[in-house]
Every structure is written in C-alpha cells, then in structure tokens.
Amino acid sequence: MVYELKNEKLTVQFSNLGAEMVSLKNNKTGQEYLWQGDSRYWGRRSPVLFPVVGRLINDRYVYDNKEYPMSQHGFARDMEFACISESREEITFGLDATPVTKENYPFDFRLEIGYRLKEDTVTVTWKVINLEREREMYFSIGGHPGFLCPLKEGESQSEYSIWMDQEEVLFSRIDLETGLMRSYKNVLTLPQGRRVLEEGVFDEGVYIMEDYQVQKVSLLNPDNEPYLTVSFQTPLVGIWSPEKKHAPFVCIEPWYGRCDREAFQGNLRNREWGNMLVPGGVFERSYQITVEQ
C-alpha cells in the first residue's frame, strides 16, 4: 500500500513494504527529488537498514557461540510493516519480530519508522525497542535515501556539486569485491565545503565518514545553489552512487553502524559502531530531509 503526507509545499509518499519513502515532490513545480528506482542502477529508493548496516564477514555473525546468517543491510527493508498511526502531518509504521526473523536475528524487538512533514522538511524517526526480558539486544540502523542528481533532463551530474559542513574530512572505502571496510583512511579536501561531482567521482565506491565529522550534506545545482539538504547527528554517514554506472542519483546515508572491517574477528557484541539496548530499552533517533527550492 502507498500512504501520503501533503502540505502546501511538498507531497511525500511511503510504502508499507520496508516502511520506505517512495516519493518526495515539490507541489509548485512538480519536481520529484527522490530516486524512483531502476534495476539498471539500483532498484530501491530509500530503504531502512536494520538490524545491520552494510555487509558482515561471510554474511554471518556470532552471538552466544552460535552463528547466524545475515544479508547485507539486514531484513527490515524487505518486510511488510503495519501502519500504526496516521495524521495530516505524521505517519508511523511498525515491525515486530517473528519466527522467521529469529532465524537470522534471535531477539524480540519492535522497530518503528516515523515520518513527519512540516513545511519543506521531512523528519525521519527510528525507534528500536528491546522486548527481551533478560538480555541485551545488539543492532545497527541506518538510512539509504537516494536523491535525483541531476534534476533536469539534458543536464550532467558533473555540473552538480555536493556540500558538507567541513572543509576537510577523513573517509574510508569498502572493498568492492568483499563489501568490507578497508583498514586505511583517506583525506577529502572540500574547498568551502564543496566537491564537484565530476566524472568518476564514485568509481571507487562509497565515501564513509566516521566519528561525527559531518552533520549536514547538501546537493547543489549547476548554479551552486542547494536544492536538497540532509541533516543528522549520526556517528557515520555514507555518500554513494553506483560504481562506474553514471547513475543519475546520489545517496546520502546517515548511519548508526556500518559493515565489518576486513580484519574483524569478534562477535555481535563488539562490532564497531554497534548499538546495545538493555532489556526493555528504547533507542530513538531522527534525521531531516529539507527541500531548498
């Protein structure tokens, strides 16, 4: 099913499959900002990543001396959520653990994904609840929204830029064959916070910034004007477009967690940037998407 929030400025649509945002449109101009999915490049639009972000070594993890399979980015993005509340400004979807999810993830949990539309901003909220009575729960969660870049037919992505709220950041790469984090970091220089999206800028894969270095990312049109901004307070953010495909979109991905490092040999409890909830504990975080035009 498709659900909708609408005000004078924006119309936003959502699917109960994965609780995924599927459209973000300017009412005045009719401009769509969200990537609409195309399997030639990437068939998704804005999936929620849970209970892992990224890939695990051998697509498996160990918890309490037992090995569990887990596909890249987890299973929530492929599951049907229930719409648990809806108003003119907000909608919330919920997902509970099932016998099927426990084959891959042995915890009783509740995951709620909420969206609030106010003026030109969509606030995305993640709420994770540990329903276990006696044990801690370990998880990661993140967003993966893709935004059109370029916006207009006939334009090239190389005319566009990305802006971050820093002029220099350290970033890491993922090995494109294994999907695992490489052990070394690189320096990305951003004069006045800006990086032109020239040909080949994504050919080596995703840019991953850790340690709360970046808290705001904008996409700039050929006039160097921001047309969309993602604001967050997550410890990590990924910037990605499919490698060597010249795809007409860019993903800005706030994360609480990431893939395993190449040399990682631990278990679920000690994954880098993982999160833990005590029995009955609640984790609630949000980020914002603002249309600037």
Side-chain angles (χ1 to χ4, degrees):
M1 292 183 62
V2 176
Y3 299 81
E4 183 174 283
L5 295 176
K6 185 174 183 178
N7 62 15
E8 292 184 358
K9 296 186 176 183
L10 300 175
T11 297
V12 194
Q13 294 182 331
F14 315 92
S15 172
N16 67 318
L17 180 61
E20 184 175 10
M21 181 168 58
V22 295
S23 179
L24 174 62
K25 191 173 289 187
N26 185 313
N27 293 334
K28 183 177 180 180
T29 65
Q31 175 67 58
E32 176 68 66
Y33 292 93
L34 195 71
W35 168 245
Q36 290 300 288
D38 184 334
S39 58
R40 292 179 300 168
Y41 304 106
W42 182 58
R44 301 181 187 267
R45 306 186 195 188
S46 180
V48 176
L49 316 181
F50 177 87
V52 299
V53 174
R55 173 150 282 154
L56 281 63
I57 292 179
N58 297 320
D59 294 319
R60 295 178 178 276
Y61 68 90
V62 174
Y63 173 74
D64 277 359
N65 298 315
K66 183 177 179 180
E67 192 174 75
Y68 295 87
M70 181 66 70
S71 59
Q72 182 180 24
H73 295 323
F75 50 72
R77 60 184 181 166
D78 295 316
M79 298 193 69
E80 288 193 9
F81 284 63
C83 179
I84 57 177
S85 68
E86 186 177 8
S87 69
R88 292 185 62 184
E89 291 189 346
E90 297 184 59
I91 188 167
T92 302
F93 299 92
L95 176 70
D96 293 313
T98 69
V100 173
T101 66
K102 288 186 177 181
E103 292 176 5
N104 303 88
Y105 186 65
F107 301 101
D108 279 319
F109 69 87
R110 182 167 182 80
L111 171 62
E112 296 181 4
I113 309 297
Y115 299 92
R116 182 171 185 261
L117 175 61
K118 185 174 182 180
E119 297 182 349
D120 54 8
T121 297
V122 180
T123 298
V124 184
T125 299
W126 303 314
K127 186 175 183 180
V128 183
I129 305 170
N130 179 9
L131 300 179
E132 294 284 337
R133 295 183 178 181
E134 297 181 353
R135 61 178 177 175
E136 295 86 3
M137 187 176 91
Y138 300 86
F139 69 97
S140 299
I141 192 166
H144 200 321
F147 303 105
L148 290 176
C149 182
L151 284 177
K152 298 178 181 179
E153 189 174 348
E155 292 180 333
S156 168
Q157 191 179 91
S158 61
E159 301 175 75
Y160 282 65
S161 302
I162 195 164
W163 175 91
M164 302 184 204
D165 56 354
Q166 300 291 332
E167 293 197 353
E168 184 177 278
V169 295
L170 293 175
F171 72 95
S172 300
R173 294 283 199 191
I174 289 174
D175 183 280
L176 296 181
E177 292 187 5
T178 65
L180 302 177
M181 190 85 156
R182 291 174 174 168
S183 58
Y184 58 87
K185 294 183 182 292
N186 306 273
V187 176
L188 178 62
T189 301
L190 301 154
Q192 298 182 324
R194 181 171 165 263
R195 171 68 184 268
V196 177
L197 297 175
E198 72 270 9
E199 184 83 12
V201 70
F202 292 110
D203 281 357
E204 294 185 41
V206 62
Y207 295 78
I208 299 176
M209 279 70 71
E210 301 182 282
D211 297 309
Y212 297 92
Q213 291 181 83
V214 177
Q215 302 288 275
K216 184 180 287 188
V217 178
S218 297
L219 293 173
L220 311 183
N221 65 21
D223 295 323
N224 290 325
E225 300 168 336
Y227 65 89
L228 185 136
T229 297
V230 182
S231 306
F232 44 88
Q233 296 180 326
T234 58
L236 306 99
V237 62
I239 310 294
W240 176 79
S241 192
E243 300 82 16
K244 301 180 181 180
K245 289 188 177 182
H246 310 290
F249 68 92
V250 172
C251 291
I252 303 171
E253 310 176 36
W255 296 336
Y256 287 91
R258 61 155 168 75
C259 63
D260 283 343
R261 194 178 295 277
E262 289 176 319
F264 180 69
Q265 296 182 352
N267 57 40
L268 186 64
R269 285 186 171 88
N270 50 32
R271 292 189 69 229
E272 293 178 301
W273 298 110
N275 306 278
M276 185 273 287
L277 279 174
V278 298
V282 178
F283 173 100
E284 187 167 0
R285 302 289 190 276
S286 62
Y287 73 95
Q288 292 75 41
I289 301 168
T290 300
V291 172
E292 305 281 5
Q293 297 178 339

